[in-house]
Amino acid sequence: MTKKKNKKNTRPSSAAAPAIAIQSGETIESASRPIVAAHTIKGVDDSGNFYNGHEELATAQLRHQDEFYKANRLFWSSGGYNGKTDDEAMVGDGGADADGVDGLAFLDRYLSDNHDAKRKFDHAVDLGAGAGRVTKLILLKRYSEVRLVEGDEGWSKRSRVYLGRKRSERCSFSNQRLDNITAEDVRNWGEPADLMWVQWTLQYLIDVDFVDCLRILSGGLRKGSGILIVKENRPYGVAREDRFQMDVPSTVGGNERYDLTRNDSHHRFLFHKAGLKVNFMERGEETNTYALSVSV
């Protein structure tokens, strides 16, 4: 599992933006919002099916779980988005550097607005690391050491080349898939993480694995100060922002892989089930980025 930029919609959203502007296409929204009821989470897939509530979605995901994950493993082992560079293969276009700048600025804003004298900057974890783009452009600029966790063996090996010798000396590498990660896997990483970062990766998990994964990962955060950053696509443009969009591997929709674009309410519903709370959130032109911690 690794990164992907949303290519489904091309028109900017017409929805009203929150009041506090950060930069073009990026705004701060309230961290605290009510958790929606499961029956209100609705959406469509690219084969024309409508899901009238979260139970229908979860049932369909479990029914096709093996098929979905098999298709995704093949997609990434075959080169992902097959760009001219490792970055393009990860995100699907040439926007990797700009995304790195945005991600680092988000992290700095969060840390500045939530100063904690006890916070450490020793260990970070890049989840669904792919070639190591987030590690290179964000995490190594603020943290002493980074563990890259990547499910595809080829990309995990490639990340050492992408990062280069000097950066790799500050890194450790784990070839682990997030859909079956265990608490023992996380304990074996050693020191608690001061930061975990997962981006354009949870969209490839079915909802039950999304929740289990985040619940297990949160057990590896440093108690009291560890944070989990999640950045994922959201429906935008011509898409209904109150509906999820699911791509499934089929001849009907023309996709080679499974992925699910969730809206804000859907994400918060799953964060809550995983025992996490939203401390800080920004809405970008195509994405939502969250800073999470363990609910007390």
Side-chain angles (χ1 to χ4, degrees), residues 89-133:
M90 293 290 96
V91 305
D93 61 26
D97 286 346
D99 176 74
V101 171
D102 288 346
L104 186 61
F106 172 89
L107 178 60
D108 287 345
R109 282 193 292 273
Y110 174 75
L111 295 174
S112 175
D113 291 349
N114 296 269
H115 176 72
D116 184 349
K118 297 180 180 179
R119 179 170 286 123
K120 295 185 178 182
F121 295 86
D122 296 335
H123 304 285
V125 181
D126 184 355
L127 297 151
R133 186 182 62 84

Side-chain angles (χ1 to χ4, degrees), residues 123 125 127 147 149 172 174 176-178 180-196 212-222 228:
H123 304 285
V125 181
L127 297 151
R147 177 176 294 275
V149 180
S172 54
S174 298
Q176 293 172 313
R177 286 167 40 200
L178 297 187
N180 61 8
I181 198 164
T182 68
E184 183 177 4
D185 292 330
V186 176
R187 285 194 296 269
N188 287 339
W189 296 346
E191 285 289 320
D194 300 299
L195 174 81
M196 293 185 180
D212 287 346
C213 170
L214 291 191
R215 184 184 293 119
I216 289 169
L217 291 172
S218 66
L221 291 170
R222 190 178 299 279
L228 172 64

Side-chain angles (χ1 to χ4, degrees), residues 8 42-52 56-57 60-61 63-64 68 243-250 252-253 255 258-261:
K8 295 175 184 174
K42 303 178 181 183
V44 297
D45 67 27
D46 60 346
S47 294
N49 299 306
F50 178 74
Y51 300 87
N52 190 32
E56 288 189 11
L57 170 65
Q61 288 177 324
R63 184 185 306 122
H64 298 286
F68 289 167
R243 296 284 189 264
F244 63 76
Q245 298 172 271
M246 182 164 66
D247 289 346
V248 297
S250 71
V252 177
N255 280 301
Y258 156 83
D259 73 79
L260 180 60
T261 301

Side-chain angles (χ1 to χ4, degrees), residues 162-174:
Y162 175 88
L163 292 171
R165 181 179 59 83
K166 288 186 177 181
R167 292 189 186 94
S168 294
E169 288 175 351
R170 295 169 55 196
C171 297
S172 54
F173 303 85
S174 298

